Amino acid sequence: MTAAVRLAGVSKSFGKVPAVADVSLEVAPGELVALVGPSGCGKSTLLLLLAGLLEPDAGTIEVGGRLVAGPRTWVPPEERRVGVVFQDAALFPHLRVADNVAFGVPRGRERAARVAELLELVDLPDLGRRYPHELSGGQQQRVALARALAPSPSVVLFDEAFGNLDSGLRTSIREATVAALHETGAAGVFVTHDQVEALAVGDRVAVMRRGRFEHVAEPATAFHEPASRFSATLLGEADFVPGTGDGAAVDTELGRLAATPASTGAVEVMLRPHEVTFTPGGSAVVDRREFRGASYVYTLRLPSGALVRSIQPHTVDVPVGALVTAAVEAGHPVRAFPPR
Amino acid sequence: MTSRAGRRSSTVVVATAAALVLLPVLAVGIGVVTAGAAPWGRVADSGWVSLLGTTLALLALVLLGATALGAGLAWLTTAYRFPGRRALQWMLVLPMAVPAYILGLVWSSLLSFPGPVQTSWRAVLGDDAPFPPVRTLPVAAAVLVLTLYPYVYLLARVAFRSQAATPYGAARTLGLRPLQAARRVVLPLARPSLAAGALLVALETLSDFATVQYFGVDTLSVGIYKVWRGQFDRPAATVLALLVLLLALLLLGGERWLRRGARFSPTVHDTTPMPAVRLSGGRGWAATAACSGVLLLSVGIPVVTLVSWSTTTPLLGTGGSFDAGFLAAAANSVLLATQVAVVVVAVSLLLVHAARVDGRRRIALGVQATVSGYAVPAPVLAIGALLVLAAVAWVLDALGLPGGAGLVTGSVAALVVVYAARFLALGYTTTEARLAGVSPSLTSAALSLGASPRRVLSGVHLPLARSGLAVAGVLVAVDALKELPIVLLLRPFGFDTLAVRVWQLAADSRYEMAGLPALAIVAVAMIPVVLLFRGDDDVELVDDAVDVLPALEDPDHDVGLVGVAR
């Protein structure tokens, strides 16, 4: 089956600053990929390259099996069948909602039906006659999605598309978007700097740093077995605890842990707060605790001085200064990194 | 000084500034009413219907041409990449430095029967080859278009860059070709800005009566000049001025109407780069040629011609262009421009200060009235000022005080006041733009620390606005140096400025002699244009940044625009 999108060795720099450096990625039809990274990592540039709003310096881009950018090829955005949902929705302010959605649909008998169908899909069947400024932010974002889907693109790109919405709304729009994409069978590429969003939305997550992919994997793999410390901390809270490997497991202050990859000698293992538990009495000290509503995050100081966080339900109420013993309940081998 | 007294003095300053602009306008209205039916017969003799028809035709042609050229060039330099774009995109502002009466003078000479164009035409096609008539309305309109299009160009560029980039990109991804996307998305979004630029073009066209006279085009403003300077018929001139004023009001209304869509404008500042398309090969060079061609016609050929004129005439000695008359005119110009700049800068600072210290509605209204002075066509302002001065003279006479007569026959002091009224908008907006980056809470902080308004003025606003005041001073001085309609209508007998001298020499067809003063004006006028717009390549930074450098907006950029929007 031909990929919805295929990038091979794509590079783009601005002056001397490389924004995207030798990036390769394949997105299967219907697959959703989240590009996550700090601001300035090149993820938005990559999106503009895909959409045809920027020209790459090197590499090839295919959309739906068709070469759209390469050494001697340049297909302009209007011929790429790539939908884009912009951060601020970018609805045409002078056009009604229905005209916005109809914008990319060829004139014809089916046009009105297509618009109605899409407004139905994004659950806004009655707002066709409104102007964009008469809609809420969430509604605008849904219209933008409907507009992008209307010409039946093989892939839809989302540029921080939910970033301007408040957190409750963001979740529901995100779910509606994923559902709509699955229904139409279009692939999706989501650019985001929000790791929760990246993990929730993507069939795969691509962690980007300084114009390169640091790790491309399924969300659970990326989260539990990050390719680098950078990926580890980008995708969630992480602490690094020193230990000594003997090829089979790693001995740490929190006990002997199964680790991947199998290591010998000095290593550091990554622990996420939800994997760390503790029991009263011992040689670790509660250094700090942070109240997060449903839970407490305890920061424990181990005898070596290393700090490790543990997230506990709010019913576990231990004062700062208490002595405890920390342990790990990961349910999977923990990730080991060479010591810094 | 107590705070209340400070407030009272700010009210006085604002009221005085507003009166400078509003009184002449009111005087024109009152003048027409009090004159009764008497002047109307003479106005009819002046052929006002045909004057009005000519004015409307000229307005239509210039508006159409300047909007198409300005918006077209703005689009070309924003949405496409071609050889030389970086330099051309700011150089396209340079025609602002060549006043219409100088551009018109050059082209009317070059295209005249003995001029080089017709001479070579005859040389090639034979002595009897007909040449299209030059002294016509379309040619006059073309000259005005070539010098006024930068108003539209600048405002259109800002609109394209700050609002249209993302919608344009969205339209492209939805299947529209560049020109389709421009027509269906960019143009509707930029309409308010285009309307604002077109309004400035229209007002300048209404004010002009020097340029069009080279081409034998009689507009209402020409009528005002002839009726007043030729026959000293103040009532008839007042009636014609009222017609011009009404036209200006109509244009303002039209602009408001075109702006009604502004509520659609996205409030978010758009930082996405315009996806510029590279024009390859011949098409790229064609774009370069189009931009260069406009520059050649509006700046290149005129400057070369002026230089050659000034060098073919002997500089010194009898018949030299660097004679006593030139020196006197230059001195008058410099003196007048300096005085106007000082007055405008001082009043602007006080206005900015008053608006910050005193948040009352009447202050804001007064400031707005002052700034609206840019919309009053120069001949209307001049005739109105004349009426006000006549009233003052009448009062002085009635009181038995001397000096009244000089006011009506023209005085330099009156010129300074009327110039100030014309350029206050430019001075104020420039100063205010410089101060806009300074948070208003700074003023509140100073006041809450117990500083009197006067101390806030000297200790906070003056030092912070200093750079803005300097820029405002330069802009106003240069505009005063270029100004022609007001000085022609109000100057004391024998008082020449460089602009007046250019115009008179041109009227006598002594083009070579006009070269030096015209060149002097263009050279000085280049200074602010180059200073303000040469750095206008922040667009390139944004282009090149995408998400590497978040949008860089040059705060100074606004000043340039405001400088235009007078």
Side-chain angles (χ1 to χ4, degrees):
Chain A
M1 201 153 65
T2 48
V5 169
R6 180 181 286 124
L7 301 166
V10 172
S11 297
K12 173 77 186 175
S13 40
F14 300 108
K16 291 201 180 74
V17 191
V20 170
D22 193 21
V23 159
S24 300
L25 176 72
E26 203 163 302
V27 181
E31 190 189 17
L32 307 186
V33 173
L35 296 181
V36 62
S39 62
C41 73
K43 54 193 192 301
S44 294
T45 304
L46 192 58
L47 216 65
L48 295 174
L49 289 168
L50 260 175
L53 298 173
L54 274 179
E55 262 182 88
D57 299 334
T60 58
I61 302 175
E62 286 175 33
V63 174
R66 173 183 176 216
L67 184 69
V68 294
R72 253 170 226 88
T73 312
W74 171 250
V75 176
E78 62 267 25
E79 291 167 17
R80 286 198 179 186
R81 294 194 355 119
V82 169
V84 184
V85 178
F86 294 88
Q87 176 167 22
D88 57 359
L91 297 179
F92 304 125
H94 60 299
L95 299 179
R96 292 177 195 277
V97 165
D99 296 327
N100 261 284
V101 177
F103 198 90
V105 185
R107 268 170 238 274
R109 210 173 305 152
E110 279 101 59
R111 199 186 200 187
R114 179 76 179 144
V115 170
E117 180 189 337
L118 280 156
L119 286 177
E120 191 76 46
L121 181 71
V122 297
D123 211 15
L124 296 172
D126 305 320
L127 298 186
R129 299 209 35 86
R130 297 261 188 99
Y131 277 101
H133 69 271
E134 296 168 332
L135 303 182
S136 70
Q139 289 171 330
Q140 288 188 8
Q141 217 43 267
R142 284 165 192 255
V143 175
L145 174 65
R147 183 180 70 176
L149 286 172
S152 311
S154 44
V155 60
V156 183
L157 314 176
F158 296 81
D159 187 6
E160 304 272 5
F162 315 118
N164 284 348
L165 306 175
D166 55 53
S167 57
L169 193 59
R170 198 182 307 174
T171 312
S172 72
I173 303 262
R174 196 165 67 207
E175 285 167 358
T177 302
V178 170
L181 284 174
H182 283 321
E183 197 161 324
T184 57
V189 177
F190 293 79
V191 156
T192 178
H193 64 262
D194 175 354
Q195 97 277 2
V196 176
E197 188 167 303
L199 294 170
V201 95
D203 296 326
R204 277 190 299 157
V205 174
V207 177
M208 229 179 147
R209 183 193 194 189
R210 294 188 189 145
R212 294 172 189 278
F213 284 152
E214 191 116 340
H215 196 187
V216 184
E218 285 174 19
T221 312
F223 186 73
H224 294 308
E225 296 171 33
S228 63
R229 289 170 190 257
F230 175 82
S231 293
T233 44
L234 188 79
L235 293 177
E237 294 169 311
D239 295 303
F240 299 91
V241 174
T244 311
D246 57 10
V250 176
D251 287 306
T252 70
E253 291 173 89
L254 296 91
R256 187 172 166 80
L257 305 174
T260 178
S263 324
T264 50
V267 293
E268 284 191 354
V269 295
M270 179 200 80
L271 298 175
R272 299 210 183 269
H274 69 272
E275 298 166 344
V276 177
T277 62
F278 57 84
T279 46
S283 51
V285 185
V286 174
D287 193 58
R288 236 174 2 206
R289 69 172 186 179
E290 179 190 314
F291 183 52
R292 289 194 186 165
S295 56
Y296 281 111
V297 175
Y298 290 93
T299 303
L300 312 178
R301 183 182 298 280
L302 304 176
S304 70
L307 296 174
V308 63
R309 283 167 291 179
S310 169
I311 190 160
Q312 297 297 325
H314 68 281
T315 47
V316 178
D317 187 359
V318 180
V320 170
L323 291 176
V324 296
T325 301
V328 173
E329 284 178 17
H332 55 83
V334 297
R335 178 78 167 88
F337 290 101
R340 244 186 296 227
Chain B
M1 188 202 249
T2 66
S3 170
R4 178 172 298 176
R7 301 256 147 69
R8 198 174 302 140
S9 69
S10 74
T11 310
V12 171
V13 168
V14 174
T16 311
L20 273 184
V21 174
L22 292 182
L23 272 184
V25 176
L26 287 176
V28 167
I30 293 169
V32 169
V33 174
T34 52
W40 285 94
R42 302 196 298 276
V43 171
D45 291 343
S46 74
W48 72 273
V49 177
S50 103
L51 294 183
L52 180 64
T54 308
T55 308
L56 290 176
L58 183 74
L59 271 177
L61 276 183
V62 174
L63 273 180
L64 206 69
T67 311
L69 191 62
L73 288 173
W75 181 246
L76 194 61
T77 52
T78 321
Y80 297 94
R81 291 170 181 277
F82 50 86
R85 177 181 81 144
R86 237 170 214 270
L88 286 168
Q89 68 184 9
W90 82 261
M91 285 174 68
L92 282 168
V93 184
L94 284 178
M96 291 180 92
V98 184
Y101 58 85
I102 290 179
L103 191 67
L105 145 76
V106 169
W107 280 111
S108 64
S109 158
L110 290 181
L111 294 173
S112 65
F113 185 79
V117 176
Q118 290 212 43
T119 309
S120 26
W121 175 272
R122 286 191 300 271
V124 174
L125 297 173
D127 278 350
D128 299 328
F131 191 80
V134 174
R135 284 169 52 88
T136 57
L137 190 137
V139 178
V143 164
L144 287 170
V145 165
L146 278 177
T147 154
L148 295 179
Y149 82 83
Y151 290 118
V152 179
Y153 173 77
L154 280 168
L155 290 169
R157 267 181 69 88
V158 172
F160 292 161
R161 278 162 42 194
S162 67
Q163 297 170 4
T166 307
Y168 175 71
R172 295 289 305 282
T173 63
L174 289 167
L176 261 59
R177 313 200 146 275
L179 282 179
Q180 290 175 316
R183 186 175 59 80
R184 285 181 58 191
V185 175
V186 176
L187 221 50
L189 289 180
R191 188 184 62 197
S193 297
L194 294 181
L199 176 68
L200 293 169
V201 170
L203 292 172
E204 289 289 321
T205 307
L206 266 188
S207 287
D208 178 88
F209 58 77
T211 315
V212 288
Q213 283 192 66
Y214 301 145
F215 300 96
V217 175
D218 282 347
T219 60
L220 282 170
S221 291
V222 174
I224 294 176
Y225 176 73
K226 286 186 173 165
V227 166
W228 168 235
R229 250 10 249 225
Q231 299 148 23
F232 292 99
D233 186 344
R234 204 160 59 210
T238 309
V239 171
L240 290 174
L242 183 71
L243 285 177
V244 174
L245 181 62
L246 291 178
L247 269 184
L249 288 175
L250 266 178
L251 288 165
L252 277 171
E255 192 244 12
R256 277 283 155 82
W257 181 75
L258 281 171
R259 257 180 188 283
R260 76 200 182 282
R263 68 195 161 97
F264 296 139
S265 299
T267 45
V268 212
H269 185 74
D270 196 340
T271 53
T272 321
M274 188 64 106
V277 175
R278 197 182 308 277
L279 293 176
S280 52
R283 296 173 65 204
W285 289 108
T288 313
C291 296
S292 316
V294 170
L295 279 173
L296 207 63
L297 291 176
S298 56
V299 182
I301 293 176
V303 168
V304 170
T305 309
L306 292 179
V307 169
S308 93
W309 284 349
S310 346
T311 46
T312 47
T313 0
L315 265 186
L316 304 169
T318 39
S321 51
F322 195 77
D323 60 359
F326 172 82
L327 283 176
N332 282 340
S333 277
V334 170
L335 215 63
L336 187 58
T338 315
Q339 288 173 11
V340 171
V342 168
V343 170
V344 167
V345 162
V347 177
S348 296
L349 176 64
L350 291 175
L351 282 178
V352 168
H353 171 68
R356 289 229 163 189
V357 175
D358 191 335
R360 283 176 303 173
R361 196 171 153 66
R362 69 169 96 145
I363 298 290
L365 275 177
V367 169
Q368 216 173 357
T370 312
V371 174
S372 69
Y374 81 94
V376 184
V380 178
L381 200 60
I383 295 295
L386 212 57
L387 295 172
V388 175
L389 290 172
V392 173
W394 184 83
V395 171
L396 287 179
D397 277 352
L399 295 173
L401 294 169
L407 284 178
V408 192
T409 54
S411 67
V412 177
L415 269 180
V416 171
V417 172
V418 179
Y419 270 47
R422 174 122 172 99
F423 298 129
L424 255 178
L426 176 59
Y428 172 80
T429 45
T430 308
T431 314
E432 171 59 32
R434 280 284 161 134
L435 211 55
V438 177
S439 160
S441 59
L442 217 63
T443 308
S444 312
L447 288 171
S448 73
L449 289 168
S452 66
R454 177 178 287 185
R455 222 189 109 205
V456 174
L457 174 63
S458 62
V460 180
H461 288 162
L462 178 61
L464 288 175
R466 193 169 286 157
S467 73
L469 291 172
V471 175
V474 172
L475 289 179
V476 169
V478 170
D479 260 20
L481 186 82
K482 283 157 63 182
E483 169 63 44
L484 183 57
I486 290 176
V487 70
L488 278 183
L489 283 166
L490 294 184
R491 70 199 170 108
F493 184 75
F495 181 85
D496 282 358
T497 64
L498 286 177
V500 172
R501 191 170 164 79
V502 169
W503 189 72
Q504 280 179 334
L505 291 169
D508 299 344
S509 298
R510 294 167 67 196
Y511 298 121
E512 272 83 8
M513 286 287 284
L516 188 65
L519 202 58
I521 293 174
V522 172
V524 174
M526 285 283 175
I527 297 170
V529 176
V530 172
L531 280 184
L532 284 176
F533 296 110
R534 235 198 75 140
D536 184 29
D537 56 7
D538 53 335
V539 58
E540 298 296 332
L541 281 174
V542 178
D543 273 358
D544 295 354
V546 193
D547 53 2
V548 180
L549 308 161
L552 286 173
E553 272 291 287
D554 177 6
D556 290 1
H557 181 71
D558 289 340
V559 177
L561 255 188
V562 168
V564 171
R566 60 164 165 86

